[in-house]
PDB file of all heavy atoms in Angstrom:
ATOM      1  N   ALA A1501      37.652  18.608   8.890  1.00 36.00           N
ATOM      2  CA  ALA A1501      38.069  20.024   9.051  1.00 36.00           C
ATOM      3  C   ALA A1501      38.738  20.064  10.394  1.00 36.00           C
ATOM      4  O   ALA A1501      38.587  19.277  11.316  1.00 36.00           O
ATOM      5  CB  ALA A1501      36.798  20.948   9.125  1.00 36.00           C
ATOM      6  N   ARG A1502      39.567  21.115  10.417  1.00 36.00           N
ATOM      7  CA  ARG A1502      40.232  21.295  11.663  1.00 36.00           C
ATOM      8  C   ARG A1502      39.476  22.254  12.514  1.00 36.00           C
ATOM      9  O   ARG A1502      38.503  22.868  12.016  1.00 36.00           O
ATOM     10  CB  ARG A1502      41.653  21.892  11.446  1.00 36.00           C
ATOM     11  CG  ARG A1502      42.640  20.713  11.114  1.00 36.00           C
ATOM     12  CD  ARG A1502      43.922  21.549  10.465  1.00 36.00           C
ATOM     13  NE  ARG A1502      43.656  22.144   9.178  1.00 36.00           N
ATOM     14  CZ  ARG A1502      44.513  22.857   8.592  1.00 36.00           C
ATOM     15  NH1 ARG A1502      45.709  22.940   8.999  1.00 36.00           N
ATOM     16  NH2 ARG A1502      44.206  23.387   7.419  1.00 36.00           N
ATOM     17  N   ASN A1503      39.789  22.529  13.816  1.00 38.00           N
ATOM     18  CA  ASN A1503      39.095  23.446  14.647  1.00 38.00           C
ATOM     19  C   ASN A1503      37.669  23.245  14.865  1.00 38.00           C
ATOM     20  O   ASN A1503      36.871  24.138  14.880  1.00 38.00           O
ATOM     21  CB  ASN A1503      39.252  24.961  14.086  1.00 38.00           C
ATOM     22  CG  ASN A1503      40.675  25.291  13.853  1.00 38.00           C
ATOM     23  OD1 ASN A1503      41.610  24.805  14.578  1.00 38.00           O
ATOM     24  ND2 ASN A1503      40.907  26.000  12.820  1.00 38.00           N
ATOM     25  N   ILE A1504      37.321  21.879  14.834  1.00 34.00           N
ATOM     26  CA  ILE A1504      35.822  21.642  15.051  1.00 34.00           C
ATOM     27  C   ILE A1504      35.599  21.646  16.531  1.00 34.00           C
ATOM     28  O   ILE A1504      36.323  21.277  17.351  1.00 34.00           O
ATOM     29  CB  ILE A1504      35.359  20.312  14.451  1.00 34.00           C
ATOM     30  CG1 ILE A1504      36.519  19.309  14.724  1.00 34.00           C
ATOM     31  CG2 ILE A1504      35.134  20.508  12.999  1.00 34.00           C
ATOM     32  CD1 ILE A1504      36.225  17.977  14.195  1.00 34.00           C
ATOM     33  N   LYS A1505      34.300  22.030  16.917  1.00 38.00           N
ATOM     34  CA  LYS A1505      33.931  22.352  18.205  1.00 38.00           C
ATOM     35  C   LYS A1505      33.895  21.087  19.129  1.00 38.00           C
ATOM     36  O   LYS A1505      34.425  20.987  20.193  1.00 38.00           O
ATOM     37  CB  LYS A1505      32.710  23.141  18.266  1.00 38.00           C
ATOM     38  CG  LYS A1505      32.806  24.585  17.874  1.00 38.00           C
ATOM     39  CD  LYS A1505      31.497  25.233  17.974  1.00 38.00           C
ATOM     40  CE  LYS A1505      31.125  25.738  16.618  1.00 38.00           C
ATOM     41  NZ  LYS A1505      29.899  25.473  16.077  1.00 38.00           N
ATOM     42  N   ASP A1506      33.189  20.016  18.496  1.00 37.00           N
ATOM     43  CA  ASP A1506      32.948  18.914  19.375  1.00 37.00           C
ATOM     44  C   ASP A1506      32.833  17.670  18.471  1.00 37.00           C
ATOM     45  O   ASP A1506      32.903  17.820  17.256  1.00 37.00           O
ATOM     46  CB  ASP A1506      31.677  19.128  20.270  1.00 37.00           C
ATOM     47  CG  ASP A1506      30.595  19.428  19.497  1.00 37.00           C
ATOM     48  OD1 ASP A1506      30.346  18.920  18.415  1.00 37.00           O
ATOM     49  OD2 ASP A1506      29.893  20.463  19.824  1.00 37.00           O
ATOM     50  N   GLU A1507      32.647  16.482  19.183  1.00 37.00           N
ATOM     51  CA  GLU A1507      32.596  15.336  18.317  1.00 37.00           C
ATOM     52  C   GLU A1507      31.354  15.221  17.381  1.00 37.00           C
ATOM     53  O   GLU A1507      31.483  14.796  16.357  1.00 37.00           O
ATOM     54  CB  GLU A1507      32.415  14.134  19.298  1.00 37.00           C
ATOM     55  CG  GLU A1507      33.026  12.918  18.762  1.00 37.00           C
ATOM     56  CD  GLU A1507      32.960  11.820  19.849  1.00 37.00           C
ATOM     57  OE1 GLU A1507      32.967  12.069  21.027  1.00 37.00           O
ATOM     58  OE2 GLU A1507      32.714  10.630  19.363  1.00 37.00           O
ATOM     59  N   GLU A1508      30.253  15.946  17.828  1.00 35.00           N
ATOM     60  CA  GLU A1508      29.010  15.971  16.935  1.00 35.00           C
ATOM     61  C   GLU A1508      29.307  16.695  15.643  1.00 35.00           C
ATOM     62  O   GLU A1508      29.025  16.296  14.609  1.00 35.00           O
ATOM     63  CB  GLU A1508      27.881  16.625  17.701  1.00 35.00           C
ATOM     64  CG  GLU A1508      26.556  16.487  17.083  1.00 35.00           C
ATOM     65  CD  GLU A1508      26.194  14.956  16.862  1.00 35.00           C
ATOM     66  OE1 GLU A1508      26.442  14.233  17.794  1.00 35.00           O
ATOM     67  OE2 GLU A1508      25.715  14.727  15.848  1.00 35.00           O
ATOM     68  N   ASP A1509      30.024  17.843  15.837  1.00 37.00           N
ATOM     69  CA  ASP A1509      30.397  18.505  14.553  1.00 37.00           C
ATOM     70  C   ASP A1509      31.333  17.613  13.717  1.00 37.00           C
ATOM     71  O   ASP A1509      31.206  17.651  12.632  1.00 37.00           O
ATOM     72  CB  ASP A1509      31.109  19.827  14.944  1.00 37.00           C
ATOM     73  CG  ASP A1509      30.067  20.932  15.216  1.00 37.00           C
ATOM     74  OD1 ASP A1509      28.802  20.689  15.049  1.00 37.00           O
ATOM     75  OD2 ASP A1509      30.462  22.061  15.633  1.00 37.00           O
ATOM     76  N   GLN A1510      32.259  16.989  14.376  1.00 38.00           N
ATOM     77  CA  GLN A1510      33.171  16.086  13.692  1.00 38.00           C
ATOM     78  C   GLN A1510      32.352  15.170  12.748  1.00 38.00           C
ATOM     79  O   GLN A1510      32.655  15.023  11.687  1.00 38.00           O
ATOM     80  CB  GLN A1510      34.072  15.433  14.698  1.00 38.00           C
ATOM     81  CG  GLN A1510      35.037  14.373  13.889  1.00 38.00           C
ATOM     82  CD  GLN A1510      36.089  14.980  13.313  1.00 38.00           C
ATOM     83  OE1 GLN A1510      36.952  15.663  13.815  1.00 38.00           O
ATOM     84  NE2 GLN A1510      36.255  14.867  11.910  1.00 38.00           N
TER      85      GLN A1510
END
Side-chain angles (χ1 to χ4, degrees):
Chain A
R1502 281 167 293 177
N1503 304 327
I1504 40 177
K1505 284 179 240 132
D1506 52 46
E1507 206 179 329
E1508 192 57 38
D1509 276 358
Q1510 174 75 64

